[in-house]
């Protein structure tokens, strides 16, 4: 049972880590907390649903959905955030809320306010055994894809020229611009990566729920924001650590809390977040340019 709960915790933590990392990438470069990040999950979810409805094979539909999330993130940056470049943090925050609300209303009125079922392949609902341990195919895929995506992003940021420029921009954006690197390209790449991560997280989330609805991205992105703050807002390693930590705590509380305290799980988690921030205001792994404000 302990091993099974650890698997569930890593599976959930991987989703939170992917989302928190997407938030942290944009924040580290632009200084924007993009609360429309959850709607990128929703866009990817409906892209998957539409692709399956048109008869696209499931693996190809997943690729289309992830790419749609990435393109939606780039379009969001170009249409909504680029004209606001140089504006105050408050203006950017209000813009992200406006984009989030508009997309929610669009999906609720243009598609459906009710959850739409997604037909998952039979092989994803099965399980396999390792000795006396039974592991679901879904959690195993979730863990594998999360770890693969995180490693791939780490390699991209460290080995590629664009990744190096993005890491430099996270530390001192003005110096990067003085070196002749186009700011628009760096920011667009940051949004593209955040959209890719949101699309992957959306597929893993749908694999657990087997449905899509206009509000599907709200709760996981809210938890991912909490994870990013706990890990150290703007710190990529902190976002990953915070995501996995939050997933582990949630699953362990769900498994150990008595029935009468189970409804207070989120409150207990948030109380723990407050304690962590009181001890380490900049998070567990603060960013190089972390500011307490």
């Amino acid at each position: 049972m302990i091993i099974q709960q650890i698997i569930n915790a890593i599976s959930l933590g991987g989703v939170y880590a992917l989302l928190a990392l997407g938030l942290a990438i944009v924040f580290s470069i632009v200084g924007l907390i993009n609360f429309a990040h959850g709607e990128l999950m929703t866009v990817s979810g409906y892209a998957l649903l539409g692709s399956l409805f048109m008869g696209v094979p499931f693996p190809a539909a997943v690729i289309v959905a992830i790419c749609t999330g990435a393109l939606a993130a780039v379009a969001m940056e170009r249409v909504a955030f680029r004209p606001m470049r140089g504006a105050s943090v408050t203006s950017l925050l209000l813009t992200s809320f406006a984009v989030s609300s508009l997309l929610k209303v669009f999906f609720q009125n243009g598609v459906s306010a009710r959850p739409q079922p997604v037909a998952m392949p039979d092989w994803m609902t099965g399980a396999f055994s390792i000795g006396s341990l039974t592991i679901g195919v879904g959690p195993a895929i979730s863990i594998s894809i999360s770890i693969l995506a995180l490693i791939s992003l780490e390699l991209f940021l460290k080995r590629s020229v664009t990744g190096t420029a993005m890491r430099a921009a996270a530390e001192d954006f003005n110096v990067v611009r003085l070196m002749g690197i186009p700011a628009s390209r760096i920011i667009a790449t940051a949004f593209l990566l955040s959209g890719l991560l949101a699309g992957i997280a959306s597929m893993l989330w749908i694999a657990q729920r087997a449905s899509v609805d206009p509000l599907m991205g709200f709760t996981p992105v809210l938890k991912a924001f909490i994870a990013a703050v706990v890990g150290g807002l703007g710190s990529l390693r902190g976002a990953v650590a915070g995501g996995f930590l939050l997933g582990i705590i949630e699953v362990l509380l769900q498994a150990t809390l008595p029935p009468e305290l189970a409804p207070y799980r989120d409150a207990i988690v948030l109380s723990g977040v407050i304690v962590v921030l009181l001890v380490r205001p900049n998070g567990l792994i603060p960013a190089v340019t972390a500011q307490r404000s």
Side-chain angles (χ1 to χ4, degrees):
M1 178 181 176
I2 294 175
I3 297 176
Q4 186 65 56
Q5 294 301 333
I6 290 174
I7 292 172
N8 293 337
I10 296 175
S11 175
L12 179 62
V15 176
Y16 290 160
L18 291 173
L19 292 172
L21 193 54
L23 290 172
I25 287 174
V26 172
F27 180 82
S28 64
I29 295 177
V30 189
L32 164 69
I33 301 172
N34 185 15
F35 283 105
H37 196 66
E39 277 55 58
L40 296 177
M41 286 185 66
T42 308
V43 168
S44 296
Y46 279 110
L48 175 67
L49 185 66
S51 299
L52 294 175
F53 180 77
M54 291 186 292
V56 178
F58 187 81
V62 169
I63 295 174
V64 169
I66 294 173
C67 293
T68 301
L71 294 176
V74 174
M76 186 183 295
E77 186 275 331
R78 183 65 182 86
V79 174
F81 296 118
R82 186 172 298 185
M84 298 294 294
R85 192 174 298 172
S88 66
V89 175
T90 304
S91 299
L92 290 173
L93 192 63
L94 291 175
T95 301
S96 72
F97 276 119
V99 173
S100 174
S101 299
L102 285 171
L103 290 175
K104 283 190 182 75
V105 171
F106 171 77
F107 287 120
Q108 287 173 337
N109 296 327
V111 184
S112 175
R114 297 181 179 180
Q116 302 295 313
V118 177
M120 306 302 294
D122 293 336
W123 54 268
M124 286 194 65
T125 59
F128 58 93
S129 299
I130 301 178
S132 59
L133 180 65
T134 300
I135 302 175
V137 174
I141 292 176
S142 178
I143 293 172
S144 302
I145 292 178
S146 298
I147 293 175
L148 181 62
L150 294 173
I151 292 175
S152 300
L153 181 62
E154 179 77 8
L155 292 175
F156 171 79
L157 292 174
K158 284 191 173 182
R159 303 291 177 85
S160 68
V161 175
T162 303
T164 302
M166 290 179 65
R167 288 191 292 117
E171 295 188 18
D172 197 326
F173 193 75
N174 291 326
V175 171
V176 171
R177 296 180 70 177
L178 291 174
M179 293 174 64
I181 301 175
S184 297
R185 189 182 71 186
I186 297 298
I187 295 173
T189 304
F191 273 88
L192 177 68
L193 290 176
S194 72
L196 278 174
L197 294 172
I200 295 172
S202 176
M203 299 301 100
L204 300 180
W205 192 255
I206 291 172
Q208 300 175 16
R209 294 157 43 98
S211 66
V212 178
D213 65 84
L215 300 178
M216 62 172 282
F218 176 77
T219 299
V221 167
L222 180 61
K223 298 289 182 66
F225 172 66
I226 294 171
V229 172
V230 171
L233 196 56
S235 169
L236 303 188
R237 295 181 185 273
V240 174
F244 279 107
L245 178 63
L246 188 63
I248 290 170
I249 292 174
E250 280 197 7
V251 171
L252 290 180
L253 287 177
Q254 185 175 3
T256 58
L257 283 178
E260 59 271 14
L261 292 179
Y264 302 98
R265 185 191 66 178
D266 288 344
I268 295 173
V269 172
L270 292 177
S271 300
V273 170
I274 294 173
V275 171
V276 170
L277 294 180
L278 286 174
V279 177
R280 295 184 63 87
N282 288 328
L284 299 175
I285 309 176
V288 176
T289 55
Q291 297 179 359
R292 183 167 181 163
S293 61

